Amino acid sequence: MTQRVLTTESGAPVADNQNSATAGVGGPILLQDQHLLEKLARFNRERIPERVVHARGSGAYGYFEVTDDVTGFTRADFLSAVGKRTETFIRFSTVADSLGGADAVRDPRGFALKFYTDEGNYDLVGNNTPVFFIKDPIKFPDFIHSQKRDPFTGRQEPDNVWDFWAHAPEATHQVTWLMGDRGIPASYRHMNGYGSHTYQWTNAEGEAFFVKYHFKTNQGVRSLSSEQAAELAGRDGNSHQTDLLQAIERGVHPSWTLYVQVMPAGEAAEYRFNPFDLTKVWPHSDYPLQRVGRLVLDRNPDNVFAEVEQAAFSPNNFVPGIGPSPDKMLQGRLFAYADAHRYRLGVNHTQLPVNAPRTAVVDNYGRDGLHATRNGARHDKNYEPNSYAGPAQTGAALSAPLAIHGWTGTHEAPAHTKDDDFFQAGELYRLMSEDEKDRLVANIAGGLSQVIRDDVIEKNLAHFHAADADYGKRVEEAVRALRED
């Protein structure tokens, strides 16, 4: 085998990669040692800013295969025929901790999926829970600040966590999910994924439907108790990453079945819950699950940094037949996700291999910027319209228009007949077995009992009482017992 030659970044051969150039034997290092300076300067810049949320993640490639006809609801090409396959990339993640955190912690999990379709990339950004803590994006920075490290103590503080939740009663439903058995998945393979938000599908006739995505794991849902998770996190902080990597390497390809709930757009205004409220679910008795296809993961990335850390998912990456809904959290994320990637990776992050379309042709007037690799040919213009046969608009909207009315201003979301912040949390609690309720109460009390201020504790207890009388009573008694010890 011919020995490959080590070179500098400019392609020049490196004579010595073991010893720096010095002024004589044992003398000081010379500034002219270009190879040394280049290595050190590059090393200093190897890391990019980590994600503010979802910093710690794992990824894999796979495919999505359509198993059921959904053309009555959407004209999206990648869903147009039973048996059609589309390459995908998925990134799983924890939400609150930093890049150096452990996998086995009590935290929601990100479930971000990129479809490399023939009509462009479609990104579906979700979690392993069907709901979230808040319903308006203006509260998101404050929520995340309350969950991250305190500026003074440098650690996550129960006082901050529960103080925010005390002032956000709409979080009660998601808190019940998080503190329940599914709050710590046993692995990324053994959890469900949800689009969480409400999206719009539009069919070939222009009819609009609102949909929610449900990816049901075919491995079965498995979770860890707080005690099991603490032991695992101490033994192997990379437990979920290791599990996913090794499963795919040995040919055990994890899969999920995709179902959707479909609501005709005309039914949204009169539905008993606000269908665009991210803190609520649509009961399956109202809108049953309809099978769409299956997601299979069959290939690990070759380089975690290039393909997992630099993977960029933006919910504003739609394809014809799929679009947004009036979900306020989704509307905020349509801007925030892409903007986060422009900050972390640069304005040309979409040209990175993991983010670039596979089969669709990118043809627009974007030019220049950091790391630009696609600047056009000599006679290509960078403005539109032009007289030089440059790309032109189609005039065909990706999705149906949304009707709007009323005055501009800062409005609360419209109330529906059954809207409140606690009913669905109570419904979730009442679905649990006695053992599940015991663990839920213990998990909540373990954190809430550490809060210093009595008024913060009382506000949170009021939320659980409002959700279900037994729920509130048991949490209150458990908190009192822990605080008396």
Side-chain angles (χ1 to χ4, degrees), residues 80-101:
S80 63
V82 172
K84 185 160 188 173
R85 287 190 177 187
T86 300
E87 184 184 358
T88 62
F89 181 78
I90 194 167
R91 186 176 185 271
F92 303 108
S93 57
T94 54
V95 174
D97 214 341
S98 64
L99 187 58

Side-chain angles (χ1 to χ4, degrees), residues 349-367:
H349 67 271
T350 54
Q351 298 178 27
L352 295 170
V354 69
N355 300 321
R358 292 291 191 264
T359 56
V361 175
V362 176
D363 194 1
N364 58 41
Y365 296 95
R367 297 289 188 273

Side-chain angles (χ1 to χ4, degrees), residues 51-60 90-99 102-113 125-129 183 185 187-188 191-192 240-241 244 308-309 313 337:
R51 292 167 169 86
V52 177
V53 289
H54 297 279
R56 181 175 181 81
S58 302
I90 194 167
R91 186 176 185 271
F92 303 108
S93 57
T94 54
V95 174
D97 214 341
S98 64
L99 187 58
D103 287 339
V105 294
R106 187 171 298 279
D107 199 15
R109 299 301 191 278
F111 195 98
L113 186 60
V125 179
N127 285 322
N128 71 327
T129 59
S187 79
Y188 290 133
M191 67 181 193
N192 293 336
H240 289 33
Q241 161 69 14
L244 181 66
V308 179
E309 284 309 298
F313 300 86
Y337 274 61

Side-chain angles (χ1 to χ4, degrees), residues 180-466:
D181 280 359
R182 296 194 182 190
I184 315 179
S187 79
Y188 290 133
R189 296 182 297 126
H190 293 92
M191 67 181 193
N192 293 336
Y194 302 88
S196 301
H197 296 290
T198 300
Y199 294 90
Q200 185 204 81
W201 277 6
T202 309
N203 66 17
E205 289 71 43
E207 297 175 295
F209 303 86
F210 292 119
V211 300
K212 282 186 175 290
Y213 294 88
H214 301 251
F215 289 85
K216 299 290 188 179
T217 175
N218 295 324
Q219 291 70 238
V221 172
R222 288 177 49 200
S223 304
L224 301 173
S225 68
S226 296
E227 295 75 20
Q228 291 171 324
E231 179 184 352
L232 180 57
R235 189 173 70 246
D236 179 9
N238 304 301
S239 57
H240 289 33
Q241 161 69 14
T242 301
D243 175 85
L244 181 66
L245 174 76
Q246 293 182 349
I248 295 175
E249 285 296 292
R250 66 176 184 266
V252 178
H253 298 157
S255 66
W256 288 257
T257 300
L258 171 61
Y259 299 87
V260 292
Q261 291 177 284
V262 181
M263 174 189 293
E267 298 181 11
E270 301 302 322
Y271 186 50
R272 55 194 176 120
F273 305 112
N274 180 353
F276 312 118
D277 181 346
L278 186 54
T279 68
K280 293 181 174 63
V281 299
W282 302 353
H284 294 178
S285 56
D286 293 344
Y287 296 99
L289 296 179
Q290 302 189 47
R291 194 175 66 177
V292 180
R294 66 186 185 119
L295 170 69
V296 179
L297 305 182
D298 59 4
R299 180 165 67 89
N300 283 309
D302 293 325
N303 184 284
V304 171
F305 176 79
E307 299 165 88
V308 179
E309 284 309 298
Q310 293 194 131
F313 300 86
S314 302
N316 58 0
N317 287 342
F318 292 114
V319 292
I322 302 178
S325 78
D327 179 337
K328 292 180 77 173
M329 281 296 293
L330 173 59
Q331 293 283 322
R333 283 172 167 155
L334 296 180
F335 161 76
Y337 274 61
D339 191 57
H341 303 316
R342 295 184 192 106
Y343 161 68
R344 293 184 62 246
L345 303 170
V347 71
N348 291 305
H349 67 271
T350 54
Q351 298 178 27
L352 295 170
V354 69
N355 300 321
R358 292 291 191 264
T359 56
V361 175
V362 176
D363 194 1
N364 58 41
Y365 296 95
R367 297 289 188 273
D368 306 333
L370 192 66
H371 304 316
T373 61
R374 191 182 64 242
N375 268 327
R378 175 182 299 183
H379 300 297
D380 286 343
K381 302 303 178 183
N382 62 348
Y383 60 89
E384 195 277 338
N386 62 60
S387 304
Y388 294 85
Q393 66 193 37
T394 67
L398 298 185
S399 57
L402 298 171
I404 59 172
H405 60 85
W407 300 92
T408 61
T410 54
H411 305 289
E412 292 186 5
H416 290 235
T417 55
K418 295 290 185 179
D419 273 344
D420 70 46
D421 293 325
F422 309 109
F423 175 77
Q424 290 199 353
E427 290 281 274
L428 179 59
Y429 175 80
R430 289 184 285 275
L431 286 173
M432 296 180 180
S433 68
E434 285 303 308
D435 287 345
E436 288 175 315
K437 290 177 181 177
D438 288 342
R439 290 189 291 270
L440 168 68
V441 168
N443 292 333
I444 292 174
L448 189 54
S449 64
Q450 299 178 49
V451 173
I452 295 172
R453 290 181 48 168
D454 290 340
D455 61 320
V456 173
I457 294 176
E458 291 302 320
K459 285 180 180 177
N460 279 286
L461 290 176
H463 297 168
F464 300 122
H465 279 291

Side-chain angles (χ1 to χ4, degrees), residues 14 40 45 108 200 220 351 484:
V14 173
L40 294 180
R45 292 161 175 81
Q200 185 204 81
Q351 298 178 27
E484 289 175 352

